[in-house]
Amino acid sequence: MNKRAVDTKKKIVVAALAVLLVLLVVALIVNLVRLSAANGRRDSLAEQNAKLEQIIKDNDNMITYCGSSEFVEEYAREMLDMIYRGETVVGTEESNEK
């Protein structure tokens, strides 16, 4: 082979390696952007999960409270105007408003 053919082959190999390197860098950048977006979404979902867990905990506490005798008594007194046998009502909100 002559020197010119060898130089041409070297140039082709160098150009192919340069193109391959550029493609690898572009692929790396694309994957980094995707990874960053996925991490942001994961963090957002983790925050949302924490808020929902707190809501569930609060609702569980409310359900437990609504099943207690304390709630039933309070509800009966305030909403249904019920009293225990033998209790005397001293004043009502209606008489205080007049």
Side-chain angles (χ1 to χ4, degrees):
M1 279 206 235
N2 62 15
K3 183 173 171 130
R4 190 174 222 181
V6 171
D7 286 342
T8 305
K9 286 183 182 181
K10 283 183 183 179
K11 287 180 182 178
I12 292 172
V13 169
V14 168
L17 288 175
V19 169
L20 180 63
L21 181 64
V22 168
L23 289 175
L24 287 174
V25 168
V26 168
L28 177 65
I29 290 171
V30 167
N31 283 333
L32 286 175
V33 168
R34 285 182 183 170
L35 181 61
S36 175
N39 284 339
R41 179 148 168 77
R42 184 195 64 211
D43 293 343
S44 173
L45 290 173
E47 285 180 29
Q48 186 178 7
N49 185 45
K51 289 177 185 176
L52 291 174
E53 289 290 337
Q54 184 62 43
I55 289 170
I56 289 170
K57 182 180 176 185
D58 293 343
N59 286 339
D60 283 344
N61 291 340
M62 186 60 160
I63 289 170
T64 302
Y65 172 69
C66 288
S68 70
S69 59
E70 176 185 341
F71 171 79
V72 172
E73 179 181 349
E74 182 179 323
Y75 185 85
R77 287 179 179 275
E78 291 180 13
M79 303 305 253
L80 304 175
D81 294 326
M82 297 178 77
I83 60 174
Y84 283 111
R85 288 187 189 129
E87 273 188 331
T88 305
V89 177
V90 175
T92 63
E93 291 180 21
E94 294 166 359
S95 64
N96 290 336
E97 291 175 3
K98 291 182 181 177

